[in-house]
């Protein structure tokens, strides 16, 4: 069947009252961006839904791409018909006969255009009767039809659609502002970033590494994770922080039980400084309550104390199994388990304090002058902008 449109429905977006226009504009921009490699298509944004005008493009790879765009509740392939009975009948018959394996059907008419002279119920009967009279061995089943044809009679035209394809839901990336994700090479932080993006957050990422203790490949792994994240939001800027000198100083001068807490506090301070510079108003981590020594209530308290920025922790109440499930679903897991050392594991003390006391941490830190190290370190940050790799686009193009 030759579909000529895709209907995109917003779901939660429609609840947003006055902000709605902002959300739909952002969504339209994201859809156009994601589909930029399909030059023939047109994105037509309306108040309560959006249309992709296919202009002859194959809808399959376009749907494939759209199911990963946050802010789309569901989608349907559609045929646009003029608002008159004869045209609707003709196209509905074509849809019914050209769809494979259909023995039963149902018609659901929605008439938002009250100028159309026939009521919904009556039109269901008229069209149903017409389809029965012009086919053989096909019957009506209102409970479990093989094909449900929705006839959506609107002001500008009528759209015939059949099944609904589930979208990624959430909010369009960019509609909830920007946040800085502390991105390690582990399993948790990429999932935290993904979940924040699902709520409309545009990401920048910061990664701490410790050359030569951590290898180039560990850094590559993080950039690969950032690239996966960029798929959901066009691009992700990654700030790479050479952390070695400061880590060595902490290792030398802070009692070992407290070195991890101090290291985390440094990470927070540096992250806040980068966020400030970039005009970003919050931080995101992959922390999950009780998972490891640095994620007890006492640790979080001591670590969080260095910043007034909101720290968003999308995984705080999740079990590791649940986190791994998401990581697998979004194809991050295989990258996350590549066996390269993380800066924190290199310097991790044998027995980190699970209940660090804030006064003690502050006391230890007062003995080391770290301001200058921080300044140097901020100077040495390398920033890269990661976009969806061409190979991903190529793979999409091959589907055409
Ligand atoms: P992850 O799987 O995200 O590494 P984790 O379970 O290993 O998390 P921790 O090592 O305690 O937990 O790290 C807690 C959080 O601190 C991480 O989720 C991440 O947000 C941040 N973090 C840890 N290491 C780094 C790093 N090298 N660079 C940037 N952020 C980091
Ligand atoms: Mg980790």
């Amino acid at each position: 069947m030759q579909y000529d449109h895709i209907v995109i429905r917003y779901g939660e977006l429609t609840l947003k009252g006055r902000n709605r226009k902002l959300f739909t504009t952002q969504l339209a921009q994201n859809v156009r961006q994601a589909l930029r490699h399909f030059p023939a298509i047109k994105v037509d944004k309306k108040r309560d839904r959006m249309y992709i005008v296919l202009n002859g493009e194959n809808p399959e790879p376009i749907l494939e791409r759209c199911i990963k765009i946050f802010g789309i509740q569901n989608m349907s392939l559609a045929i646009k018909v003029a608002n008159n009975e004869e045209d609707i009948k003709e196209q509905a018959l074509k849809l019914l006969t050209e769809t494979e394996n259909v023995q039963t059907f149902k018609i659901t008419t929605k008439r938002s255009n009250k100028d159309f002279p026939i009521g919904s119920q009556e039109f269901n009967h008229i069209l149903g009767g017409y389809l029965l009279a012009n086919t053989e061995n096909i019957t009506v089943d209102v409970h479990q039809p093989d094909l449900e044809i929705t006839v959506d009679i609107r002001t500008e035209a009528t759209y015939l659609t059949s099944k609904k394809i589930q979208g990624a839901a959430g909010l369009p990336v960019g509609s909830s502002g920007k946040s800085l994700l502390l991105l390690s090479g582990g399993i948790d932080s990429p999932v935290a970033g993904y979940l924040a993006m699902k709520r409309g957050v545009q990401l920048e990422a910061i990664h701490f590494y410790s050359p030569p203790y951590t290898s180039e490949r560990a850094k590559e792994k993080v950039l690969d994770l950032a690239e996966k994240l960029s798929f959901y939001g066009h691009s992700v800027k990654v700030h790479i922080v050479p952390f070695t000198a400061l880590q060595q100083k902490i290792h030398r001068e802070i009692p070992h039980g407290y070195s991890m807490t101090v290291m985390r506090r440094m990470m927070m301070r540096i992250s806040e400084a980068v966020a400030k510079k970039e005009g970003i108003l919050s931080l995101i981590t992959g922390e999950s309550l009780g998972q490891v020594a640095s994620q007890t209530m006492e640790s979080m308290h001591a670590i969080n104390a260095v910043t007034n920025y909101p720290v968003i922790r999308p995984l705080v109440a999740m079990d590791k199994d649940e986190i791994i499930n998401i990581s697998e679903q979004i194809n991050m897991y295989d990258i996350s388990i590549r066996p390269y050392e993380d800066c924190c594991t290199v310097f991790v003390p044998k027995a980190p304090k699970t209940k660090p006391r804030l006064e003690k941490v502050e006391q230890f830190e007062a003995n080391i002058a770290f301001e200058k190290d921080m300044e140097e370190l901020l100077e040495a940050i390398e920033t890269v902008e990661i976009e969806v790799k061409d190979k991903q686009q190529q793979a999409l193009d091959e589907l055409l």
Side-chain angles (χ1 to χ4, degrees):
M1 186 67 213
Q2 191 65 43
Y3 290 97
D4 48 24
H5 284 66
I6 295 172
V7 181
I8 290 181
R9 301 182 189 86
Y10 307 142
E12 189 180 353
L13 290 186
T14 54
L15 303 173
K16 291 284 168 188
R18 283 165 56 207
N19 283 336
R20 174 154 133 175
K21 185 133 189 275
L22 209 88
F23 288 92
T24 55
T25 304
Q26 183 72 56
L27 181 61
Q29 191 185 320
N30 296 356
V31 169
R32 287 193 185 102
Q33 180 62 42
L35 300 179
R36 66 193 179 284
H37 294 278
F38 302 93
I41 62 137
K42 197 170 151 277
V43 176
D44 186 10
K45 175 175 78 82
K46 297 267 191 273
R47 200 171 162 276
D48 57 344
R49 47 163 65 178
M50 201 179 290
Y51 297 100
I52 296 175
V53 188
L54 290 169
N55 287 325
E57 291 277 9
N58 175 6
E60 287 308 319
I62 294 173
L63 284 173
E64 198 72 26
R65 187 66 189 84
C66 286
I67 54 174
K68 295 206 167 131
I69 301 175
F70 294 128
I72 296 178
Q73 196 66 22
N74 60 58
M75 296 167 282
S76 299
L77 288 167
I79 302 163
K80 185 175 180 179
V81 196
N83 280 342
N84 76 68
E85 188 182 331
E86 291 315 309
D87 285 356
I88 296 172
K89 279 178 173 168
E90 188 190 323
Q91 289 301 322
L93 181 60
K94 231 172 132 191
L95 177 58
L96 180 62
T97 52
E98 289 180 15
T99 307
E100 281 171 15
N101 300 324
V102 176
Q103 252 99 56
T104 56
F105 72 93
K106 175 188 175 181
I107 303 289
T108 306
T109 303
K110 292 181 188 160
R111 188 181 58 129
S112 58
N113 175 0
K114 301 297 177 203
D115 290 339
F116 191 77
I118 309 167
S120 305
Q121 282 304 330
E122 196 187 344
F123 199 71
N124 285 343
H125 287 119
I126 293 175
L127 184 56
Y130 175 81
L131 296 179
L132 287 172
N134 286 279
T135 50
E136 281 168 20
N137 304 324
I138 294 184
T139 55
V140 170
D141 181 346
V142 290
H143 302 293
Q144 278 196 310
D146 297 331
L147 182 72
E148 177 171 1
I149 299 177
T150 302
V151 182
D152 200 353
I153 305 171
R154 300 172 76 88
T155 316
E156 74 282 8
T158 293
Y159 294 87
L160 301 181
T161 60
S162 48
K163 67 174 195 281
K164 279 187 180 166
I165 300 151
Q166 189 58 43
L171 300 172
V173 172
S175 63
S176 303
K178 217 186 228 186
S179 194
L180 183 64
L181 169 68
L182 279 77
L183 180 62
S184 74
I187 295 168
D188 302 329
S189 43
V191 173
Y194 164 81
L195 291 175
M197 288 179 113
K198 187 166 182 208
R199 293 308 298 168
V201 173
Q202 194 190 333
L203 291 186
E204 289 195 15
I206 184 165
H207 175 66
F208 296 83
Y209 82 132
S210 305
Y213 300 99
T214 57
S215 66
E216 266 307 294
R217 297 173 97 178
K219 184 167 134 188
E220 252 167 49
K221 173 181 172 182
V222 170
L223 295 180
D224 284 350
L225 289 167
E227 193 239 320
K228 287 270 177 210
L229 287 169
S230 73
F231 189 69
Y232 298 92
H234 178 41
S235 69
V236 175
K237 215 181 198 185
V238 187
H239 306 275
I240 301 163
V241 187
F243 204 31
T244 320
L246 189 52
Q247 271 191 313
Q248 283 171 325
K249 188 166 192 174
I250 294 168
H251 191 68
R252 252 188 346 256
E253 299 187 23
I254 299 285
H256 284 183
Y258 274 86
S259 63
M260 190 204 49
T261 312
V262 172
M263 189 181 75
R264 296 279 179 200
R265 283 162 59 93
M266 294 298 173
M267 281 186 171
M268 279 295 184
R269 288 186 175 103
I270 294 159
S271 300
E272 188 194 278
V274 170
K276 214 169 257 170
K277 193 162 148 248
E278 298 286 318
I280 293 173
L281 303 179
S282 65
L283 307 175
I284 301 171
T285 73
E287 288 163 300
S288 160
L289 194 56
Q291 202 187 77
V292 287
S294 63
Q295 295 169 25
T296 61
M297 204 62 89
E298 291 80 0
S299 273
M300 284 205 218
H301 175 73
I303 294 165
N304 213 140
V306 298
T307 179
N308 284 323
Y309 271 47
V311 180
I312 300 170
R313 300 179 173 88
L315 311 184
V316 76
M318 279 193 192
D319 294 343
K320 195 74 186 185
D321 289 355
E322 296 173 82
I323 300 169
I324 288 176
N325 264 340
I326 301 175
S327 173
E328 284 175 336
Q329 276 167 30
I330 58 176
N331 298 320
M332 303 267 189
Y333 189 69
D334 289 341
I335 304 176
S336 287
I337 59 171
R338 285 186 208 157
Y340 307 120
E341 291 279 276
D342 182 74
C343 70
C344 305
T345 42
V346 174
F347 287 95
V348 80
K350 280 202 190 64
K353 278 255 180 279
T354 52
K355 296 186 176 181
R357 287 185 24 222
L358 185 56
E359 324 80 72
K360 279 200 148 183
V361 185
E362 286 171 346
Q363 202 185 328
F364 294 138
E365 275 181 7
N367 295 333
I368 56 165
F370 58 83
E371 287 75 11
K372 194 159 166 290
D373 301 271
M374 283 259 298
E375 264 170 41
E376 282 172 11
L377 196 148
L378 286 169
E379 285 293 308
I381 290 178
E382 177 198 348
T383 299
V384 277
E385 181 102 21
I386 305 284
E387 288 196 32
V388 185
K389 263 188 202 145
D390 282 337
K391 71 173 188 310
Q392 230 158 349
Q393 276 312 330
Q394 276 163 18
L396 282 174
D397 293 347
E398 277 162 24
L399 280 171
L400 280 169

